[in-house]
């Protein structure tokens, strides 16, 4: 549906530009002069500016989506993987504690973010235990910084 609307708007903008060009080329007394042509030119300029802004917004949205995917991949493959391993070692015999260090598989972005924040909160609360099991002291700071981007 969005493609059809964009196509209609694009065709109308192109048609308006052709009308403007025709009026400029075929100026006669009283035709193509005055407020009508000036208003048409202003509207075309405004439409072109809005189209440029829309394109910039789409590019920014796509870039943010790619960046979020890269951060999620980094979190999943490195930082959270390491935290899960340390959490598993620290949770020997404590099933409830181990459950805090699991990520859902094939989850939505919201579910992933919630699980990652939950792991981070648990790890922060149990920082001394996890450091005693071999966790890097800077891991939680790295996770906190990256989790903000997700």
């Amino acid at each position: 549906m969005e493609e059809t609307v964009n196509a209609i708007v694009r065709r109308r903008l192109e048609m308006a530009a052709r009308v403007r060009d025709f009026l400029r080329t075929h100026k006669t007394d009283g035709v193509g002069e005055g407020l009508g042509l000036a208003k048409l030119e202003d509207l075309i300029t405004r439409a072109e500016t809005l189209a440029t802004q829309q394109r910039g917004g789409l590019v920014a949205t796509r870039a943010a989506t790619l960046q979020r995917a890269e951060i999620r991949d980094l979190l999943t493959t490195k930082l959270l993987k390491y935290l899960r391993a340390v959490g598993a070692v620290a949770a020997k015999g404590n099933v409830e504690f181990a459950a805090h260090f699991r990520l859902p598989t094939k989850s939505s972005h919201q579910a992933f973010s919630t699980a990652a924040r939950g792991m981070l909160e648990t790890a922060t609360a149990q920082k001394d235990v996890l450091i005693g099991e071999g966790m890097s002291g800077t891991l939680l700071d790295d996770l906190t910084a990256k989790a903000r981007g997700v």
Side-chain angles (χ1 to χ4, degrees), residues 71-101:
I71 291 171
R72 180 176 173 160
D73 185 55
L74 173 68
L75 285 171
T76 305
T77 59
K78 294 192 170 108
L79 299 175
L80 290 176
K81 187 176 183 179
Y82 178 68
L83 182 59
R84 281 192 341 241
V86 173
V89 170
K92 288 180 188 171
N94 186 345
V95 177
E96 184 178 321
F97 187 68
H100 289 283
F101 293 98

Side-chain angles (χ1 to χ4, degrees), residues 6-148:
N6 285 339
I8 291 169
V9 170
R10 187 175 44 254
R11 282 194 302 269
R12 287 184 181 172
L13 182 58
E14 290 168 357
M15 185 171 44
R18 286 192 305 269
V19 168
R20 177 200 59 204
D21 294 343
F22 178 84
L23 291 175
R24 284 180 180 166
T25 305
H26 299 90
K27 282 188 179 183
T28 59
D29 292 334
V31 177
E33 294 182 27
L35 296 177
L37 180 58
K39 186 173 182 180
L40 179 61
E41 288 175 339
D42 288 343
L43 289 172
I44 291 171
T45 301
R46 183 172 166 221
E48 290 170 345
T49 301
L50 291 173
T52 301
Q53 289 173 349
Q54 180 186 24
R55 174 72 180 141
L58 290 172
V59 168
T61 299
R62 289 181 183 135
T65 301
L66 289 173
Q67 181 182 21
R68 189 169 67 182
E70 288 173 3
I71 291 171
R72 180 176 173 160
D73 185 55
L74 173 68
L75 285 171
T76 305
T77 59
K78 294 192 170 108
L79 299 175
L80 290 176
K81 187 176 183 179
Y82 178 68
L83 182 59
R84 281 192 341 241
V86 173
V89 170
K92 288 180 188 171
N94 186 345
V95 177
E96 184 178 321
F97 187 68
H100 289 283
F101 293 98
R102 290 196 184 114
L103 282 175
T105 56
K106 295 185 180 180
S107 61
S108 68
H109 177 72
Q110 184 65 37
F112 174 81
S113 296
T114 302
R117 284 187 188 99
M119 285 177 66
L120 184 58
E121 288 172 10
T122 301
T124 302
Q126 300 294 325
K127 184 176 182 176
D128 294 336
V129 172
L130 295 173
I131 288 176
E133 293 296 335
M135 181 181 81
S136 165
T138 62
L139 176 67
L140 295 180
D141 295 334
D142 293 341
L143 275 172
T144 302
K146 292 296 181 187
R148 287 187 186 126

